[in-house]
Amino acid sequence: MSFGIRLKVAGHYACFTRPEMKVERVSYDVMTPSAARGVLEAIHWKPAIRWVIDRIHVLEPIQFRSIRRNEVGSKASARNIKTAMTRGSLEGLHQVVDEDRQQRAATVLTDVAYVIEAHFVLTAKASADDNEGKHLDIFNRRAARGQCFHQPCLGTREFAAEFELLAPDAPVPEPREKLAELGFGQPRDLGFLLWDIDHDAPGRPSRFFRARLEDGVMRVPAPDSPEVLR
Amino acid sequence: MTAIQNRYEFVYLFDVANGNPNGDPDNGNMPRLETDTQKGLITDVSLKRKVRNYVELLKGGQPPYAIYMQERSVLNNQHQKAYDALGVKSVSKKLPREEAQARELTAWMCANYFDIRAFGAVMTTEVNAGQVRGPIQMTFAQSVDPVLPQEISITRSSVTNERDADKERTMGRKYIVPYGLYRSHGFVSASLAGDATKGTGLSEEDLEIFFDALANMFDHDRSAARGEMSAQRLIVFKHAHPLGNAQAQSLFKRVSVVKRPEIKTTRSYDDYEARIDRAGLPDGVEIIERL
């Protein structure tokens, strides 16, 4: 736990899609640990390390907005690409979007800001010259300078995230308003929230946990905790 | 073509006069609005559509500038004789068969299609390499000031159906924004272009075409609904380091767009003033004014 970092992320929009409502996307009330991991990995990640999210602080009131967009219904077919490759021609490979149109609404969050508290652990892929200090230095250096592997996003890529590293001795920013919906007064139950997708297990199952907001803070259980459900 | 080596951010300003820049399907095709701020909104996908259409028009849909996500209205010729079979990159034989094949398919698609190289695509292969994240990431465009859409009733002096013949004319509606200046932010992540396994190979030439598209695409997207749309400014921040030399938000803050104080109701771009703060620019960041 000594190798912890705290990163403030903010954005005008965010969409942390609930897995049960993916067609017409509906966002969770708060950032999921897996989305937070994605933000950290966008700044620094190597196969030698794995990010573990400890806490997520919610700094802004939870507000939703609906956006309906024209989307395409299907993915590119691997078989068609293969035959086109053998044939050496692109003919008929493109997708005609107005014939495969789906209008889908997304219920997204607006004006969000979070503080992600996390640490990382070394994985089995770590070699002799990988040590915690090195990766922590790289992350802190990049985050402080605004460097990133790719621009992190808040759930989906059109909602880019601003990020700012909090110095180790700096206090966590206070929420703008101490609202009951952020768990001030009494803890707020957020229901089951996606913890992360288990990419190592066959079939890549999703794992969930019972999330609660307490004084603006959501505690995230450790990977081996019994609170993480399959 | 070698992949780009620099990270970029850009601020893109464009305006609309007496037109509907992006209709909202939830609101009877009224221009998109943010309900609380009354500011106009244009989705990232709307802008990307126009970039695709422009590149299609410019390059005739020929590889390596073919467009994967096509619109029927874009005239495309299907003569792909210029296709160069040598464009396929060989992949390492050490990888597991399925993954290697997925990579090969992805690399081939990236090599041929401009929009997949730039914006990415999702392909049906099970392996991660079947999903491409493009280096270019665009956000929603928001108007600088609140916009006030107007509903305009129009008449048509003919009818569609025989049974309506006695009506002689039918009425229709269209929505327009009298004037709106929109601002959009974009990101170009060099690592998603040049990375050995994840990179799409987006090159300097491709990026040049992309910026060219932003500057010119509205000139080729005229229609009754759009009114007069034009690109006004395109300010690009180029980082010397592939991972970047400064925080994106600190660079975006350098571009301020304000209404001139004497103007009450904005009706043209001249009513605004865009300023770029160049003081104390971080080392390794260069400002390029493309427009």
Side-chain angles (χ1 to χ4, degrees), chain A residues 13 65 68 88 97 147 149, chain B residues 26 32 34 36 83 191 244:
Chain A
Y13 288 109
R65 176 172 291 154
R68 187 178 292 273
V97 290
Q147 294 189 322
F149 183 81
Chain B
D26 261 347
R32 288 183 191 272
E34 279 195 335
D36 44 359
Y83 177 67
S191 22

Side-chain angles (χ1 to χ4, degrees), chain A:
Chain A
M1 285 301 216
S2 56
F3 300 106
I5 59 98
R6 291 175 309 161
L7 189 79
K8 186 184 168 193
V9 293
H12 191 39
Y13 288 109
C15 184
F16 309 110
T17 310
R18 290 173 184 267
E20 69 274 26
M21 287 183 267
K22 286 178 97 160
V23 174
E24 300 234 84
R25 287 180 285 270
V26 178
S27 175
Y28 278 119
D29 288 8
V30 298
M31 178 179 233
T32 61
S34 68
R37 177 180 59 85
V39 168
L40 301 179
E41 287 178 357
I43 296 169
H44 174 64
W45 179 77
K46 283 273 183 278
I49 64 168
R50 187 174 64 231
W51 285 104
V52 179
I53 310 296
D54 301 318
R55 253 173 241 99
I56 294 174
H57 301 248
V58 184
L59 306 181
E60 293 286 336
I62 298 164
Q63 294 179 72
F64 289 96
R65 176 172 291 154
S66 170
I67 297 165
R68 187 178 292 273
R69 282 174 285 188
N70 289 327
E71 299 179 11
V72 285
S74 46
K75 295 188 273 188
S77 138
R79 198 203 283 161
N80 286 355
I81 300 172
K82 226 170 124 184
T83 49
M85 267 176 85
T86 333
R87 203 172 57 208
S89 133
L90 298 185
E91 202 168 330
L93 191 56
H94 59 267
Q95 215 157 10
V96 180
V97 290
D98 12 14
E99 284 175 9
D100 191 15
R101 184 66 88 213
Q102 295 186 348
Q103 279 194 346
R104 294 186 184 178
T107 306
V108 305
L109 293 164
T110 65
D111 297 314
V112 299
Y114 304 99
V115 171
I116 302 167
E117 279 189 63
H119 68 279
F120 62 82
V121 290
L122 293 180
T123 65
K125 286 184 182 154
S127 62
D129 58 340
D130 280 308
N131 60 65
E132 281 97 344
K134 171 183 141 185
H135 288 289
L136 189 70
D137 280 352
I138 297 175
F139 181 86
N140 283 335
R141 201 165 53 229
R142 285 192 183 175
R145 288 183 190 163
Q147 294 189 322
C148 52
F149 183 81
H150 61 88
Q151 189 67 32
C153 64
L154 298 168
T156 58
R157 288 195 74 201
E158 60 271 36
F159 306 143
E162 295 179 359
F163 60 92
E164 184 189 330
L165 185 72
L166 295 184
D169 49 351
V172 175
E174 288 274 303
R176 200 148 56 94
E177 287 171 81
K178 295 191 171 175
L179 299 167
E181 64 176 29
L182 299 185
F184 285 92
Q186 66 170 6
R188 183 177 162 210
D189 192 347
L190 294 170
F192 284 104
L193 193 94
L194 179 70
W195 183 80
D196 208 332
I197 292 162
D198 189 353
H199 289 284
D200 297 327
R204 302 180 183 221
S206 300
R207 301 172 75 186
F208 294 85
F209 74 107
R210 190 87 196 212
R212 291 197 327 164
L213 265 178
E214 227 166 312
D215 294 338
V217 182
M218 180 175 75
R219 194 183 54 81
V220 180
D224 49 4
S225 154
E227 287 178 63
V228 179
L229 309 167
R230 282 174 189 277

Side-chain angles (χ1 to χ4, degrees), chain B residues 4-71:
Chain B
I4 52 165
Q5 296 297 319
N6 304 84
R7 188 181 111 181
Y8 298 84
E9 268 94 44
F10 56 90
V11 175
Y12 180 43
L13 296 176
F14 58 95
D15 63 359
V16 60
N18 297 324
N20 183 354
N22 187 200
D24 186 349
D26 261 347
N27 246 332
N29 209 36
M30 193 171 125
R32 288 183 191 272
L33 277 186
E34 279 195 335
T35 36
D36 44 359
T37 59
Q38 291 294 305
K39 285 183 176 177
L41 215 59
I42 292 172
T43 60
D44 59 315
V45 283
S46 164
L47 296 172
K48 287 194 232 172
R49 171 82 267 149
K50 295 185 207 314
V51 171
R52 287 186 168 106
N53 289 355
Y54 178 81
V55 176
E56 170 104 47
L57 201 64
L58 186 75
K59 298 286 182 182
Q62 293 297 319
Y65 298 103
I67 296 297
Y68 186 69
M69 295 289 176
Q70 284 185 352
E71 231 175 9

Side-chain angles (χ1 to χ4, degrees), chain B residues 152-172:
Chain B
I152 306 229
S153 288
I154 48 173
T155 56
R156 184 172 66 156
S157 50
S158 58
V159 291
T160 313
N161 295 318
E162 186 78 20
R163 62 174 185 276
D164 297 326
D166 54 331
K167 279 189 192 156
E168 285 182 350
R169 55 183 55 188
T170 44
M171 302 273 296

